[in-house]
Amino acid sequence: MDFFSHIQMDNKKIVYKKLLRDHMLEVAKNIKLNTQTIFKDEIWSKAGFIVGATHDFGKYTTYFQDYLITGKSKSNLHWHSFVSAVFGAYITIIHTKVTDNPLYDYLPLIAYFAILHHHGNLSSFDNDVVEMQKLSSYNFELVDSRMREKLQLMEPQLENILIHRETIEAEYQDILGNINLLDFKGNWISVLKELHRQKYKLQKENEDIKLKLNTFFLFIYSSLIDNDKRDAAEVRKIKRKHIPEDIVDYYRKEEFNIYETHGIDGVRNDIYQKVSKKISEISLDNHVFTLTAPTGTGKTITAFSAAVKLRERLKLYYDEEPRIIYALPFTSIIDQNFSVIEKILENIPDFQSDKNAYIIKHHHLSDVGYQVENETRPLDESMLLVESWDSEIVVTTFIQLFYTIIGYKNRFLKKYHNIANSIILLDEVQNIPMEYWPLVNIMLQNLAKELNCYIILLTATKPFIFNESEAIELLENNQEYFDKFNRVVIKPHLEEIGVEQLAQKFCEVYNQENSYLIVLNTINSSVEFYNYIISKVKSKGNKIFYLSTNIIPKERIKRITDIKNCLENHEKIVVVSTQVVEAGVDIDLDVVLRDLGPIDSIIQVAGRCNRGWDANKCGKVYVFNLKDDIHYSSKIYGSISCKASANLLEKNILQEREFYHLIADYFDSVKLMRGIQQESDESQKILNAIYDFRFCDDLGMYDSVSDFKLIQDNNYVDVFVQVDKDAVGIWNRFDKEILHEKNFKKRQENYLKLKKEFKSYVVSVPEKFANEFVRPSKNSSIFLLPYGNLKDYYDKNTGFNRNLETIFIAM
């Protein structure tokens, strides 16, 4: 009998099939190669090979083979992950009996856990490793119900496998050598008892061993799920590409006056040269760097050039070119940074034909198309290549990066192994919540130590994530650049004021000869302010723009482009926004009004004022203290951060040259007010979960890795807004081609085709408002705001109407 790992049916005919032994062997070889490349350890590489060679062992049942063809099963005997996981642990025990390294003792436990979850998200050792005494109970009655069923299926599954014992053992002969399925059937409970013993022993190990083992586990797990999916889909391999180390130098020579020594261009040239020199001389024993420079001084291009030059040095040293991962806090600023890097790469001769082999953009709104060798790969293949970061340069979000480094979900973790040997650029890293800074410090240093990553933190407001002994500053004497700038001044007005009062004051002093940026902390306050001033601005003949996550992404992107075009044409405009403009949005206005917030956020938004350093003027940033029932700033940032900011700003007019010390004073003040212990506690909870392999706890009994959240959702839901006829058409396609498509593969392909357009009409709104909207199905995670109801719930200027109580009452 032939056993298959994957079969595709079309009109009840087999159109594709993959032999099980071939699939497992291919996956095993790739995991072993990945593991040996990074860890240089024969035993760990052997363990990786075993994981690949056993991960689908349970597919040797006729129950699963019948399920492959029919898609139906009368029982759960076709389940294959648990029996495969126990078999993987059994083989690992036999093949990795080495005593000279304590880490080797836990390889069976690692193999078991990786295989058990290779089709889903990670759980925890607490849930998945059965206690010895419970294994001895009659019919496993003391075991949790979810695990009990898996245990009860083992005997009939193994009886079924033994029917074809000779065939299976012969197939494994070429992969693992001699195996004895009768012995496995007789000892599988003993294997589970050994796993419990290993779990208990691991709990007593020190944190260094636990973290090292966790890193190895995630690498093996990631390599397994990525290679499993690639081999099943027959994804063709992508050839690595070389990027010339002087590619940015050439670009700058073509685009800029690189000999300018004065003004903002002179500063940018000086910083570029100094950082280039530093990165070319620094010892490769150093793995963590910072690049701290004022806003608008060309950090994106300078940092990318440093990464490319470092990449060339590492190639000569390790004989392998590392990937460059460029992570930013918000999707709203990815496009402009991606465009800059893309333009730099256009000087490479084969870039247009092999574009995505060189660079990809990965976030929830990005395309999944992958172009290489003048061909756009099929959508399912493209998705696997993009989501596993199979490219020389990856431009992505903090969400994608940190939910992989500190994550539990299958779809995030399948790229973990491709982070190894990479250069990671973290732009505006201070946007990570402060309570996670100790955690981020440890996890980034762990990447550097265990996976040979090199990390560069880019910021204008140097956060205290790494101290001076832990990171090398690439721009020496950077304070002199802060000292020489006089582009902007901060003028605090911290007496409490309401939104309407502030809007009135703005209207009184508004001068159409200036451009203005108003940044408020909440969507409600920003909409209220916008509605109050719109007639005043338009009466002067100027344009006014509203920006926040309250408007659909499609419109938000368009407005950022329109704003830039107006400014390039020297039009005087008004922009009312939330914090979406703080980091990285390259716009330059004359006057900024900002609601009170953390000092680093205030300085970030100040970077949108007189950004080009017009020597004939000084930009002004006014900081106000808005309040209704409580301060708007406290709603978003908490009282401690804002109180620290208020204390530092009170009665002080601050020049830009003072920002460097102001930032340091702010972080010191917050630490003192919060208490170092509170900050450490939040990080320590996640670290303890990492040490104890508690990735997710469905019952909520323990702290787990899944508790790590860069963005608090606060009971928000996604709503598709039919703002125009195009949106109506897209929703109709979604309904027909996805919601009502029964074939899973076609449904997936249809979604990938539609994803970017579909997501561009989605906003997140408080769940309390969504009850009035259409829910396509009982379990749907997306709601619909139909075109016919648009005027009641969505404003074309300010987006979703969050003042709906009156509407609900009227209805």
Side-chain angles (χ1 to χ4, degrees):
M1 177 179 177
D2 285 333
F3 292 91
F4 300 100
S5 61
H6 301 86
I7 288 176
Q8 287 183 18
M9 307 287 291
D10 191 11
N11 292 326
K12 297 183 179 181
K13 292 183 179 180
I14 296 175
V15 295
Y16 167 79
K17 55 187 177 181
K18 180 87 176 188
L19 285 171
L20 180 55
R21 66 171 180 268
D22 292 346
H23 170 66
M24 291 194 293
L25 180 58
E26 188 65 27
V27 172
K29 287 178 178 178
N30 287 331
I31 298 176
K32 180 179 180 180
L33 178 62
N34 292 342
T35 308
Q36 185 61 34
T37 300
I38 301 302
F39 295 103
K40 310 291 192 298
D41 185 297
E42 289 296 333
I43 301 300
W44 279 16
S45 299
K46 182 183 289 188
F49 183 87
I50 291 170
V51 166
T54 59
H55 78 280
D56 275 349
F57 168 77
K59 291 184 177 181
Y60 275 113
T61 66
T62 56
Y63 306 119
F64 182 84
Q65 294 299 310
D66 291 342
Y67 174 76
L68 264 185
I69 297 173
T70 65
K72 299 176 181 178
S73 178
K74 295 180 180 179
S75 68
N76 291 327
L77 285 166
H78 67 287
W79 288 0
H80 72 281
S81 291
F82 182 71
V83 62
S84 301
V86 181
F87 183 67
Y90 166 78
I91 296 295
T92 308
I93 290 170
I94 294 172
H95 284 269
T96 60
K97 287 184 177 179
V98 182
T99 58
D100 61 346
N101 187 328
L103 291 169
Y104 297 156
D105 293 344
Y106 305 105
L107 292 179
L109 185 60
I110 293 300
Y112 167 81
F113 197 50
I115 296 170
L116 183 63
H117 293 289
H118 76 277
H119 286 303
N121 299 330
L122 294 175
S123 180
S124 70
F125 280 178
D126 297 323
N127 290 337
D128 296 328
V129 179
V130 186
E131 296 177 21
M132 288 186 188
Q133 58 271 30
K134 292 183 179 180
L135 285 167
S136 302
S137 61
Y138 173 74
N139 203 28
F140 308 112
E141 60 186 0
L142 297 179
V143 179
D144 174 82
S145 59
R146 291 177 297 179
M147 182 60 71
R148 186 190 311 138
E149 184 177 10
K150 297 171 185 175
L151 291 165
Q152 291 171 342
L153 291 173
M154 282 289 288
E155 285 296 334
Q157 285 178 324
L158 291 176
E159 288 288 351
N160 184 268
I161 285 172
L162 287 176
I163 294 172
H164 299 96
R165 174 189 169 194
E166 290 184 5
T167 300
I168 297 168
E169 289 181 348
E171 290 195 356
Y172 265 114
Q173 180 68 42
D174 295 332
I175 303 174
L176 293 171
N178 292 326
I179 66 167
N180 188 328
L181 293 179
L182 278 175
D183 183 69
F184 174 56
K185 183 179 183 299
N187 288 286
W188 68 270
I189 291 181
S190 297
V191 171
L192 290 174
K193 290 180 177 180
E194 169 61 17
L195 295 180
H196 181 252
R197 185 194 68 78
Q198 290 179 17
K199 173 185 176 265
Y200 181 76
K201 182 183 175 186
L202 180 60
Q203 290 173 341
K204 299 181 178 181
E205 295 282 11
N206 64 55
E207 292 175 352
D208 287 343
I209 284 181
K210 289 179 179 180
L211 186 56
K212 186 185 287 285
L213 198 66
N214 191 283
T215 304
F216 175 67
F217 161 73
L218 288 173
F219 186 91
I220 291 294
Y221 174 72
S222 171
S223 192
L224 168 62
I225 58 181
D226 184 41
N227 282 291
D228 184 26
K229 292 170 182 175
R230 283 171 179 254
D231 187 70
E234 294 196 310
V235 175
R236 291 161 285 175
K237 291 185 177 180
I238 304 299
K239 294 179 182 179
R240 295 298 304 270
K241 294 291 185 179
H242 173 68
I243 299 174
E245 65 174 321
D246 61 352
I247 188 75
V248 185
D249 300 335
Y250 183 83
Y251 169 80
R252 291 185 77 250
K253 190 180 296 185
E254 295 293 311
E255 297 290 329
F256 306 114
N257 180 1
I258 62 173
Y259 304 106
E260 178 61 67
T261 58
H262 296 91
I264 190 67
D265 289 334
V267 171
R268 289 169 179 162
N269 290 336
D270 191 38
I271 289 175
Y272 183 87
Q273 294 302 328
K274 286 183 176 178
V275 172
S276 296
K277 185 174 186 296
K278 183 78 170 182
I279 203 68
S280 299
E281 298 173 348
I282 197 77
S283 169
L284 295 179
D285 292 336
N286 300 298
H287 283 252
V288 181
F289 308 95
T290 56
L291 173 52
T292 311
T295 58
T297 53
K299 286 192 295 294
T300 297
I301 291 176
T302 298
F304 180 64
S305 177
V308 173
K309 289 177 169 61
L310 178 60
R311 170 182 156 107
E312 185 68 19
R313 291 187 65 197
L314 293 171
K315 177 194 175 187
L316 296 174
Y317 190 78
Y318 293 111
D319 195 29
E320 183 175 351
E321 291 185 285
R323 286 184 173 84
I324 297 174
I325 300 168
Y326 193 155
L328 302 111
F330 311 117
T331 56
S332 57
I333 58 177
I334 280 185
D335 287 344
Q336 69 181 33
N337 290 44
F338 180 86
S339 296
V340 170
I341 297 174
E342 190 177 41
K343 192 170 182 181
I344 292 170
L345 298 176
E346 286 175 355
N347 290 310
I348 299 175
D350 65 341
F351 176 72
Q352 294 301 333
S353 61
D354 289 342
K355 181 177 178 179
N356 293 126
Y358 283 102
I359 186 170
I360 58 172
K361 176 169 47 178
H362 185 214
H363 57 82
H364 74 287
L365 294 175
S366 58
D367 280 325
V368 292
Y370 193 102
Q371 179 186 319
V372 65
E373 296 177 348
N374 282 316
E375 173 198 0
T376 299
R377 295 284 176 90
L379 278 172
D380 55 346
E381 191 174 344
S382 291
M383 180 185 71
L384 290 171
L385 290 168
V386 170
E387 290 189 345
S388 64
W389 288 2
D390 199 337
S391 184
E392 301 304 325
I393 301 161
V394 180
V395 183
T396 190
T397 60
F398 282 2
I399 289 287
Q400 288 293 335
L401 177 64
F402 284 104
Y403 282 11
T404 300
I405 298 170
I406 311 168
Y408 72 102
K409 290 186 176 180
N410 185 295
R411 65 187 176 92
F412 283 107
L413 290 173
K414 69 179 177 182
K415 57 183 175 286
Y416 183 92
H417 67 292
N418 277 338
I419 293 176
N421 275 351
S422 66
I423 299 169
I424 302 172
L425 303 178
L426 296 173
D427 203 344
E428 308 298 355
V429 73
Q430 77 281 345
N431 284 282
I432 296 170
M434 289 183 70
E435 60 267 26
Y436 290 137
W437 287 4
L439 170 66
V440 168
N441 176 303
I442 290 173
M443 298 311 291
L444 290 179
Q445 290 205 66
N446 182 64
L447 287 183
K449 178 182 177 183
E450 301 298 337
L451 298 184
N452 196 39
C453 293
Y454 287 78
I455 297 150
I456 305 176
L457 283 68
L458 322 178
T459 182
T461 57
K462 188 172 184 177
F464 293 169
I465 294 179
F466 292 97
N467 60 46
E468 292 183 0
S469 66
E470 294 173 326
I472 303 296
E473 174 59 53
L474 293 177
L475 182 60
E476 294 177 347
N477 302 316
N478 51 21
Q479 184 180 337
E480 69 181 65
Y481 297 99
F482 289 85
D483 291 344
K484 71 170 57 177
F485 276 120
N486 60 351
R487 293 175 295 180
V488 66
V489 61
I490 294 177
K491 295 188 172 185
H493 296 269
L494 299 184
E495 63 277 7
E496 293 175 354
I497 188 173
V499 175
E500 185 174 332
Q501 290 174 282
L502 180 62
Q504 288 172 349
K505 282 193 173 186
F506 176 82
C507 290
E508 290 170 6
V509 300
Y510 174 61
N511 181 348
Q512 67 266 34
E513 299 302 315
N514 288 327
S515 57
Y516 294 84
L517 170 63
I518 300 95
V519 178
L520 303 181
N521 286 324
T522 68
I523 288 173
N524 283 345
S525 62
S526 66
V527 171
E528 184 181 349
F529 186 94
Y530 174 88
N531 287 333
Y532 194 95
I533 71 166
I534 182 171
S535 59
K536 176 71 173 180
V537 174
K538 288 190 172 182
S539 69
K540 297 289 185 179
N542 289 0
K543 294 179 181 176
I544 181 169
F545 296 90
Y546 177 81
L547 271 181
S548 81
T549 55
N550 204 45
I551 57 179
I552 60 170
K554 178 183 178 181
E555 181 62 26
R556 197 159 69 237
I557 293 169
K558 179 181 181 299
R559 288 184 193 179
I560 291 174
T561 301
D562 290 344
I563 289 167
K564 289 181 177 181
N565 289 338
C566 286
L567 293 174
E568 287 174 4
N569 293 327
H570 305 291
E571 294 182 48
K572 296 302 179 180
I573 63 174
V574 175
V575 180
V576 180
S577 179
T578 56
Q579 303 92 323
V580 294
V581 300
E582 277 182 11
V585 178
D586 190 8
I587 56 177
D588 188 352
L589 300 103
D590 301 318
V591 181
V592 169
L593 282 69
R594 190 2 171 147
D595 191 6
L596 182 65
I599 289 293
D600 56 319
S601 294
I602 293 171
I603 290 176
Q604 283 295 332
V605 80
R608 313 311 123 196
C609 183
N610 195 17
R611 188 175 178 86
W613 201 4
D614 184 339
N616 297 317
K617 67 180 181 181
C618 181
K620 294 177 178 60
V621 177
Y622 297 94
V623 179
F624 295 89
N625 189 7
L626 291 183
K627 182 182 180 181
D628 54 1
D629 53 333
I630 64 172
H631 293 99
Y632 289 95
S633 56
S634 298
K635 290 181 181 180
I636 304 302
Y637 300 107
S639 60
I640 291 178
S641 295
C642 298
K643 186 176 180 180
S645 295
N647 289 343
L648 290 168
L649 292 173
E650 193 173 19
K651 298 178 182 178
N652 289 318
I653 295 176
L654 296 159
Q655 305 289 332
E656 185 173 6
R657 60 177 176 270
E658 300 175 81
F659 289 0
Y660 188 87
H661 296 293
L662 180 66
I663 295 164
D665 291 343
Y666 166 73
F667 288 134
D668 280 336
S669 179
V670 170
K671 277 183 174 289
L672 186 63
M673 294 172 71
R674 289 166 60 98
I676 294 174
Q677 191 59 47
Q678 179 188 346
E679 187 173 304
S680 298
D681 284 351
E682 294 301 313
S683 287
Q684 195 62 50
K685 289 177 184 178
I686 306 298
L687 282 169
N688 289 339
I690 291 170
Y691 297 146
D692 292 336
F693 286 75
R694 291 196 308 268
F695 290 93
C696 185
D697 176 30
D698 294 336
L699 301 177
M701 297 175 63
Y702 307 102
D703 295 322
S704 65
V705 175
S706 62
D707 294 330
F708 173 72
K709 289 182 173 61
L710 288 178
I711 300 174
Q712 300 298 327
D713 53 22
N714 295 323
N715 296 319
Y716 274 56
V717 296
D718 287 341
V719 177
F720 184 93
V721 184
Q722 291 186 339
V723 297
D724 52 32
K725 297 297 184 182
D726 289 340
V728 174
I730 290 169
W731 178 266
N732 289 339
R733 285 181 58 194
F734 177 75
D735 183 63
K736 178 183 177 182
E737 300 173 12
I738 297 164
L739 293 180
H740 289 92
E741 173 57 60
K742 295 181 179 180
N743 183 287
F744 173 78
K745 184 173 176 60
K746 288 183 180 178
R747 186 165 67 246
Q748 184 185 46
E749 288 178 351
N750 292 341
Y751 177 71
L752 292 176
K753 290 177 183 177
L754 196 61
K755 175 187 171 185
K756 184 179 181 182
E757 287 181 286
F758 185 85
K759 290 275 190 179
S760 69
Y761 287 95
V762 174
V763 293
S764 292
V765 304
E767 188 175 15
K768 64 182 180 180
F769 297 139
N771 294 328
E772 299 297 319
F773 302 147
V774 176
R775 195 166 194 162
S777 63
K778 183 179 179 181
N779 298 318
S780 174
S781 61
I782 191 99
F783 290 80
L784 170 66
L785 173 52
Y787 185 73
N789 299 99
L790 191 66
K791 66 181 188 315
D792 291 330
Y793 298 95
Y794 192 88
D795 183 274
K796 67 177 182 178
N797 293 318
T798 57
F800 182 75
N801 181 4
R802 293 172 183 246
N803 193 21
L804 293 174
E805 284 83 357
T806 55
I807 294 175
F808 294 155
I809 291 171
M811 293 172 66

